[in-house]
Amino acid sequence: MALDFFGYDGVEAPQPVDFNKNILKGLGEEDWDKVLSFGAHRRYPAGSAILKAGSREALLYFIVTGAVRLSASGLRTDEILGEGNVFGLQSFLDGEPSAIEALADGPVELLLLGPEAFDQMAAWHPRIAIQLLRDVGADLANRLRKHNDLI
């Protein structure tokens, strides 16, 4: 059995994740490997704070395994995002403080992509970076439409 970056003796490596259908949909395995090479991998135990409201970290958070509980003053109830979802979209795009808080809803593994890593990815793989920006923008537009029929 081959070990990956997160592998341990006797533990199978996680299977590839089908990320949010709206973010980088249709990206092939080779292109996903390129995206993964620019991100930072992090693991959080259950109940850990991943992101605090007011944080200025402009990161995209891809959920590789586990689930994340999001809360914000504007949400009626907490939202739980599972494997394959992405959060942190607004702060990633505008660099403004986050309005959400994110807690690990059980053990969770994330891929974090920050502005510097994105810029480097854009220089080396512009097609992927353009697709990522288009998909993030479209996902945000869809979320806005759900919350405001006038947009």
Side-chain angles (χ1 to χ4, degrees):
M1 164 180 45
L3 297 177
D4 70 350
F5 180 74
F6 295 108
Y8 300 94
D9 288 332
V11 178
E12 290 291 327
Q15 297 301 309
V17 175
D18 182 19
F19 282 101
N20 185 318
K21 308 301 185 258
N22 298 321
I23 307 291
L24 296 174
K25 58 185 170 231
L27 203 62
E29 188 175 333
E30 183 178 319
D31 285 340
W32 261 115
D33 287 343
K34 292 172 185 171
V35 173
L36 293 172
S37 72
F38 288 95
H41 297 267
R42 299 284 184 270
R43 286 185 171 174
Y44 296 87
S48 295
I50 297 168
L51 176 63
K52 294 187 180 197
S55 170
R56 290 197 165 268
E57 290 184 301
L59 298 171
L60 272 182
Y61 298 82
F62 294 83
I63 304 172
V64 178
T65 60
V68 174
R69 180 179 299 272
L70 301 179
S71 61
S73 58
L75 294 176
R76 290 184 203 144
T77 61
D78 289 356
E79 184 177 353
I80 298 178
L81 299 179
E83 182 177 294
N85 282 286
V86 180
F87 63 97
L89 304 159
Q90 284 181 293
S91 293
F92 176 76
L93 289 175
D94 65 14
E96 292 296 315
S98 177
I100 63 170
E101 293 200 359
L103 295 173
D105 196 51
V108 66
E109 180 182 336
L110 303 175
L111 174 73
L112 286 60
L113 184 66
E116 296 83 14
F118 174 80
D119 289 347
Q120 188 174 23
M121 183 176 68
W124 293 0
H125 308 289
R127 180 183 53 78
I128 296 171
I130 289 168
Q131 187 65 48
L132 177 61
L133 287 178
R134 284 183 178 155
D135 291 349
V136 165
D139 192 68
L140 276 174
N142 288 331
R143 290 179 190 201
L144 285 171
R145 281 191 184 94
K146 287 180 185 177
H147 293 288
N148 187 348
D149 295 332
L150 300 176
I151 295 177

